[in-house]
Amino acid sequence: MSEQPAVMACEGVTKSYGQGDSVISVLRGIDMIVHRGEIVAVTGPSGSGKSTLLNILGILEPPDSGRVTISGTDAWASGEARRALLRNRNLGFVFQFHHLLEEFTLLENTMLPALLAGRSRREAAGLAADLLEEVSLTPRASHFPSQVSGGERQRAAVARALVCSPGVVLADEPTGNLDAANGGKLQLLMRSLCGTHGQAFVIATHSESLAAGADRVLRLSEGRLSACPV
Amino acid sequence: MRLRLLLDLASRQLASRSHSGVVRTVSVLSVSGIAIGVASLLLLQAFMSGFQDSISSFLSAANAPLLAYAPGSELLDGGDADLIAGVAASIPGAGGISPFIEKAAVASGNNGEIAGVIVRGVDWESEYAVTGLGGILGPPPGGAVLGKDLAARLAVSEGDSVRLASSESATITAAGRALVDTIISVPVARVCDFGLEEYNSGLVLTERGLAEALFDLRGRYTAVGIGLEPGADGLSVAARMAGELRDEFVEARHDRFMLCEAFLTRHENLFRAFGLERLAMSIVLGLITVVALLNLSSALSMIAMEHRRDLGVLRAMGASPMSVIGIALTQGSLLAVCGCGAGMAFALVVQALADTILPIRLESSVYWIDVLPARLDPGFAAAVAAFTVMACLLASLFPALRSLSVPPAECVRNE
Ligand SMILES: Nc1ncnc2c1ncn2[C@@H]1O[C@H](COP(=O)(O)OP(=O)(O)OP(=O)(O)O)[C@@H](O)[C@H]1O
Ligand SMILES: [Mg+2]
């Protein structure tokens, strides 16, 4: 794996929250490299900073210090417009709760990143329909998020994360509120998508089984990252 | 971001049924607020100008736009009229002249009623040239013209005759009794609606010779009406006329005064009162509109709050800051366009109704005219619309800027 180019990396990332006496240091110097096509699981107890790390890797939040590079670009060295472009072209997000837009159908939700990338409606619809097919949601494409089950929503969220063929998909507890069966399905899905599309996945999870399916497992505790034997 | 996507995102957020329908309700309410504000401003303007314009147009139709007269009710003669005609001819914008006699008299008709009237004796041809009377009366009448209310009061109609008595040449005897010595009977040629209560209930128009006989004023006039060329400004022409007349009369020949003023300035106080009333009402309604806009801005803030997470998700998917601002501005302009559109449509409908099947009746003895017309001014409407749209855009900008000031992670964190 290590000969593959890095699609995402961070160096010396620290992050703390709060002010004065109540400062909590969540991340205390994180170095991490994600290669093309690998699945990395980040585990750790609740409150250990997994979501914080994913947000920083996804340049949704600036680190207090350290560098985040996406496909070789230092994300915080340039402006918000450039970061928006980086997120659109290189990153996909699957949030713990699906975070689909309620006012749009599953197909439209899946199309959104492609439309934001400036693709035509027809092109975006084609891409989205293919992905919904892959996650077995074709019959649900014209339904609104409120009309489908939790597992279906999460699968739609995965399809949405993939529509622009990003280098990395960041998934924060994607199975967190799914039952074991749906969780297992989602895991298989991500694994197969990783194979067919060559995306890297960074998955924050409590789930032993989800972590077990990863190429690498990293453990976050006390604000530091350590490799775990798989 | 493409326009279609922008419109889609903006409009679906506004019409959002989620969040228990609050967003949709708030959108509808704020649009209604703006519509009401806009409609009331436009209707205020429409009815106030309708009222003012119709009074001034009725006033101007029956009178020459400029009047020359000597102060202190001094009478004018043919020589004065010629001088005035000469001065008018030398001033650009001033038209022909029409000397006339206008004095109070008493009229009686068929039922024994007696009414105080103003008798105006004119030369029809020159009077038609300087006033709009031709439009009201048609071809020059061969007798007296009475206002419709006056005719009703005296119970006369066309073909009857009225008696006019002048108190001018009354003599007072030792017993203190007034003896009226001139009574003239004239056929009623027309009964006419002048549009204004003042004229309808008290004006008698006759041939000038008859007024001369009635008031014993052979070859003399009480004032001279002066016409105005189309497009000329009455006030400035009147001012120039006044200056020239002073030179002509005081300094050069007669050693007396001759004044000239625009007819409508005689009613200056009325129009000033209109102006004041309009200003006060505009301020009140302008404030209503401002309140509606404040309401809109809080609605937009609320909509942005409700969709905070969605905005975070959009930014995570790569929506640029400009797109986020674009969504907000699109929302602001959608609300503004709906609000302004509804307000204008409402105002237009009310105007159309008032002009056709549902005229607004006024008590003419109080308000001078009996139907209140509406005159929407497109320029004013455009100004109100422009102001509303600008304010809506501003109001929508602030929540967007605020949501951009926090990193997207804040918005997508699980609550
Ligand atoms: N915006 C914030 N302001 C203050 N504290 C925060 C903020 N975001 C996170 N924290 C704190 O940082 C710590 C790490 O939070 P984070 O959400 O990253 O943990 P996590 O590992 O994802 O936990 P979980 O497994 O429960 O999701 C927590 O103690 C949390 O209280
Ligand atoms: Mg978390």
Side-chain angles (χ1 to χ4, degrees):
Chain A
M1 280 283 164
S2 51
E3 70 275 11
Q4 291 271 20
V7 285
M8 170 188 274
C10 70
E11 273 170 61
V13 163
T14 65
K15 182 80 185 174
S16 51
Y17 289 110
Q19 287 164 328
D21 292 342
S22 60
V23 172
I24 13 167
S25 239
V26 184
L27 304 178
R28 310 174 181 209
I30 305 279
D31 300 305
M32 185 176 167
I33 294 181
V34 180
H35 298 285
R36 208 180 126 68
E38 68 172 342
I39 297 185
V40 180
V42 177
T43 61
S46 183
S48 57
K50 302 182 295 296
S51 298
T52 306
L53 176 60
L54 255 61
N55 285 342
I56 288 176
L57 288 174
I59 53 177
L60 297 178
E61 190 169 22
D64 292 344
S65 64
R67 245 156 62 103
V68 180
T69 43
I70 309 292
S71 290
T73 308
D74 184 348
W76 293 98
S78 46
E80 179 62 21
R82 177 98 185 89
R83 278 192 289 282
L85 207 61
L86 277 178
R87 288 181 205 121
N88 186 247
R89 299 291 145 83
N90 300 294
L91 299 173
F93 293 89
V94 180
F95 302 98
Q96 179 167 358
F97 296 94
H98 59 89
H99 286 358
L100 297 170
L101 306 193
E102 299 286 345
E103 297 89 8
F104 291 80
T105 63
L106 296 191
L107 181 70
E108 289 169 328
N109 264 291
T110 311
M111 286 163 67
L112 272 175
L115 291 176
L116 286 171
R119 303 214 184 208
S120 75
R121 215 149 251 277
R122 174 193 299 227
E123 213 181 336
L127 288 172
D130 290 348
L131 277 162
L132 286 179
E133 170 87 62
E134 275 189 69
V135 300
S136 331
L137 279 177
T138 306
R140 298 302 213 154
S142 59
H143 290 196
F144 288 92
S146 56
Q147 298 168 326
V148 303
S149 75
E152 287 167 329
R153 281 179 218 153
Q154 207 59 311
R155 283 182 353 239
V158 172
R160 180 178 67 179
L162 290 167
V163 76
C164 282
S165 310
V168 192
V169 174
L170 297 160
D172 191 358
E173 310 202 25
T175 58
N177 57 346
L178 297 183
D179 59 34
N182 271 310
K185 263 199 245 169
L186 193 65
Q187 187 180 350
L188 286 177
L189 179 68
M190 288 194 283
R191 176 47 81 189
S192 84
L193 288 171
C194 176
T196 53
H197 296 267
Q199 264 102 23
F201 278 80
V202 177
I203 304 171
T205 184
H206 290 293
S207 156
E208 292 298 324
S209 64
L210 190 54
D215 299 319
R216 277 199 287 153
V217 180
L218 301 174
R219 190 175 167 74
L220 187 60
S221 75
E222 308 278 296
R224 291 183 198 282
L225 213 49
S226 52
C228 278
V230 182
Chain B
M1 203 191 292
R2 282 163 196 254
L3 191 63
R4 166 103 191 264
L5 179 60
L6 211 59
L7 278 174
D8 239 16
L9 285 166
S11 60
R12 292 204 203 182
Q13 283 192 357
L14 288 180
S16 175
R17 250 183 267 260
S18 55
H19 313 288
S20 63
V22 174
V23 168
R24 177 186 280 245
T25 312
V26 164
S27 307
V28 169
L29 285 179
S30 53
V31 165
S32 324
I34 290 175
I36 291 170
V38 167
S40 37
L41 268 175
L42 293 186
L43 286 176
L44 166 81
Q45 181 275 327
F47 284 119
M48 298 278 272
S49 357
F51 187 58
Q52 193 169 336
D53 290 356
S54 87
I55 285 183
S56 74
S57 76
F58 285 136
L59 278 174
S60 341
N63 292 279
L66 306 178
L67 282 179
Y69 61 96
S73 309
E74 243 184 275
L75 296 170
L76 283 61
D77 58 25
D80 295 329
D82 291 345
L83 266 179
I84 293 168
V87 169
S90 73
I91 288 181
I97 67 157
S98 173
F100 63 89
I101 295 171
E102 187 175 85
K103 274 188 166 300
V106 173
S108 63
N110 292 337
N111 57 356
E113 265 304 315
I114 290 180
V117 296
I118 298 289
V119 173
R120 189 191 296 172
V122 299
D123 294 321
W124 292 117
E125 198 178 324
S126 62
E127 188 73 3
Y128 273 24
V130 300
T131 67
L133 276 176
I136 305 177
L137 299 180
V145 177
L146 268 63
K148 64 179 170 97
D149 299 343
L150 178 63
R153 182 161 165 211
L154 302 179
V156 295
S157 51
E158 289 169 18
D160 294 344
S161 49
V162 285
R163 266 158 315 187
L164 297 173
S166 151
S167 49
E168 214 35 49
S169 42
T171 47
I172 297 174
T173 64
R177 203 135 31 102
L179 289 181
V180 174
D181 42 48
T182 320
I183 298 180
I184 288 180
S185 184
V186 238
V188 177
R190 302 275 153 78
V191 171
C192 161
D193 184 355
F194 292 102
L196 287 178
E197 204 273 341
E198 181 173 325
Y199 294 157
N200 281 341
S201 68
L203 185 63
V204 177
L205 281 173
T206 70
E207 219 280 312
R208 189 161 54 85
L210 194 132
E212 282 184 339
L214 179 64
F215 298 115
D216 194 17
L217 292 176
R218 210 140 303 277
R220 292 198 286 173
Y221 319 111
T222 55
V224 173
I226 303 160
L228 204 56
E229 274 162 16
D233 170 37
L235 286 178
S236 62
V237 175
R240 281 201 61 188
M241 279 292 299
E244 297 274 321
L245 286 175
R246 193 185 52 235
D247 292 348
E248 200 68 24
F249 279 83
V250 181
E251 277 144 39
R253 321 212 179 152
H254 283 59
D255 197 24
R256 54 185 277 220
F257 287 103
M258 184 64 58
L259 304 178
C260 178
E261 65 183 20
F263 173 75
L264 287 180
T265 53
R266 295 200 156 181
H267 295 273
E268 208 179 346
N269 283 339
L270 178 69
F271 291 107
R272 225 179 255 159
F274 284 155
L276 189 63
E277 192 178 352
R278 192 176 182 144
L279 178 68
M281 297 281 281
S282 303
I283 289 175
V284 170
L285 294 178
L287 287 176
I288 289 185
T289 311
V290 169
V291 169
L293 289 170
L294 288 177
N295 179 41
L296 173 93
S297 94
S298 70
L300 283 165
S301 301
M302 201 202 118
I303 290 164
M305 281 295 291
E306 289 287 333
H307 289 89
R308 187 179 137 95
R309 198 191 69 201
D310 291 353
L311 284 181
V313 171
L314 281 170
R315 288 173 69 194
M317 293 189 305
S320 64
M322 285 316 288
S323 313
V324 173
I325 290 177
I327 294 173
L329 291 182
T330 309
Q331 285 176 340
S333 32
L334 280 177
L335 292 180
V337 166
C338 292
C340 267
M344 284 185 181
F346 181 75
L348 280 174
V349 167
V350 170
Q351 162 170 271
L353 287 179
D355 283 352
T356 53
I357 53 174
L358 280 177
I360 298 174
R361 303 243 165 244
L362 298 177
E363 178 51 58
S364 65
S365 59
V366 179
Y367 295 104
W368 293 25
I369 54 176
D370 52 12
V371 172
L372 179 58
R375 294 280 165 276
L376 274 179
D377 173 5
F380 181 73
V384 168
F387 173 76
T388 312
V389 170
M390 287 303 297
C392 286
L393 289 182
L394 266 184
S396 58
L397 198 54
F398 289 111
L401 290 178
R402 205 167 45 219
S403 78
L404 276 178
S405 70
V406 299
E410 297 279 317
C411 312
V412 297
R413 218 172 263 285
N414 302 326
E415 271 93 36

